[in-house]
Amino acid sequence: DGGAVKSRDRFISDMRALAIDLGIGQLGKSEITDLQAPKRLGLIYDMQTSMARGYARWKLDQDPDFLNAFPAQRLIRISDRKEPRDWVERWEKAAEDIAYEGTAKNGRMIARKDSPIWLRLSRFGTPWPPFDFQSGMGLEDVSRSDAESLDLIDRQTQLVPQGELTFNTSLEASMQGLTPEMEALAEQI
C-alpha cells in the first residue's frame, strides 16, 4: 500500500476514514460540502485525475515537432451531461475578451494551442482541460493544413512551446471561510 496511484473506490474509502478519524465532516448544507460524503470525495478524485490527464496531454503537445504539425485544437463535447453548459456562448465571451487572438473567425470553437483563449475558458487558470467542473468537454487536435485554411497560421509560422507551466501552476489554497475549529484542524494536518 502507500502507493501514489489508487483506485477511485480505494481513494474514497481511505479519505472517508481519514475524515472520520480527524473529525472532519459537514462544511455546509449540501452533500457536496460534506468532506466524508462519497459524492464529494468522488468529485475530488475525478477532478484530480482529469486535470492530471489534461496536463500530461498539454505537456506532450509542447513538443516542437508535434506542436507545429498540429498547431491548433478544437473544443469538443467528449461526454454527455444532463444539463450541459452553453460552451458556444462561453467560447464567444472568452474570444471577445481576448480580441479573438489566435481563434478561428468562423464561429467554430477552434484556436491555436498558444491562444490565450484556453486560459480564459478555464475556471482553473490552466490551458488544459478540464476547463470547469464536470464539463464534459475536451480537445481534438487540428492539423497544420486545417489551421492554415482557417487563417490561424501561415506556412512560415513556427509555434514555440509555451514554457514551463507545472501541474500546480494555478494552485491556490485558502483558509477563508473556515471556522476556527476547522482552521485548528487544518494546522494539525
Side-chain angles (χ1 to χ4, degrees), residues 167-179:
F167 180 67
N168 293 326
T169 291
S170 64
L171 182 66
E172 294 179 20
S174 172
M175 301 280 280
Q176 184 177 2
L178 291 182
T179 65

Side-chain angles (χ1 to χ4, degrees), residues 1-19 36-38 41-42 44-46 49:
D1 194 43
V5 179
K6 292 185 179 203
S7 73
R8 186 177 195 274
D9 290 340
R10 180 69 186 265
F11 172 83
I12 291 169
S13 173
D14 289 354
M15 291 301 103
R16 198 153 187 252
L18 181 61
Q36 294 179 16
L41 294 169
I44 292 167
Y45 181 90
D46 294 344
T49 54

Side-chain angles (χ1 to χ4, degrees), residues 143-160:
S143 70
R144 183 170 195 93
S145 61
D146 287 345
E148 286 174 7
S149 71
L150 292 166
D151 292 324
L152 289 172
I153 198 167
D154 60 38
R155 284 192 189 279
Q156 292 76 33
T157 302
Q158 293 293 304
L159 295 187
V160 176

Side-chain angles (χ1 to χ4, degrees), residues 98 101-102 112 114-121:
I98 59 143
E101 181 184 339
R112 287 172 46 148
D114 62 355
S115 172
I117 196 163
W118 304 113
L119 287 169
R120 190 75 181 149
L121 276 176

Side-chain angles (χ1 to χ4, degrees), residues 16-189:
R16 198 153 187 252
L18 181 61
I20 291 167
D21 287 349
L22 295 173
I24 301 172
Q26 194 74 19
L27 295 178
K29 295 181 180 177
S30 73
E31 182 181 17
I32 204 68
T33 61
D34 180 355
L35 297 181
Q36 294 179 16
K39 185 174 182 177
R40 166 68 182 243
L41 294 169
L43 175 64
I44 292 167
Y45 181 90
D46 294 344
M47 285 303 301
Q48 288 299 308
T49 54
S50 293
M51 292 189 99
R53 268 194 241 83
Y55 174 72
R57 179 195 166 147
W58 177 85
K59 194 78 171 153
L60 289 171
D61 280 352
Q62 297 306 301
D63 173 80
D65 293 333
F66 189 81
L67 184 61
N68 284 292
F70 296 92
Q73 54 198 6
R74 176 182 293 111
L75 184 67
I76 61 168
R77 176 149 306 279
I78 58 172
S79 60
D80 291 331
R81 295 291 180 251
K82 285 182 187 177
E83 296 178 31
R85 296 177 189 98
D86 188 343
W87 282 93
V88 172
E89 180 181 312
R90 193 165 170 170
W91 178 274
E92 284 302 317
K93 169 78 171 94
E96 232 174 71
D97 289 349
I98 59 143
Y100 296 90
E101 181 184 339
T103 66
K105 306 287 190 285
N106 62 2
R108 297 188 340 207
M109 295 187 293
I110 301 172
R112 287 172 46 148
K113 289 181 178 176
D114 62 355
S115 172
I117 196 163
W118 304 113
L119 287 169
R120 190 75 181 149
L121 276 176
S122 177
R123 176 186 197 115
F124 312 111
T126 58
W128 55 79
F131 295 110
D132 205 341
F133 291 104
Q134 300 181 328
S135 69
M137 302 301 285
L139 298 172
E140 178 178 78
D141 286 321
V142 174
S143 70
R144 183 170 195 93
S145 61
D146 287 345
E148 286 174 7
S149 71
L150 292 166
D151 292 324
L152 289 172
I153 198 167
D154 60 38
R155 284 192 189 279
Q156 292 76 33
T157 302
Q158 293 293 304
L159 295 187
V160 176
Q162 295 178 4
E164 284 303 312
L165 291 180
T166 66
F167 180 67
N168 293 326
T169 291
S170 64
L171 182 66
E172 294 179 20
S174 172
M175 301 280 280
Q176 184 177 2
L178 291 182
T179 65
E181 296 82 18
M182 292 301 294
E183 284 185 40
L185 187 57
E187 290 174 12
Q188 294 174 22
I189 299 176

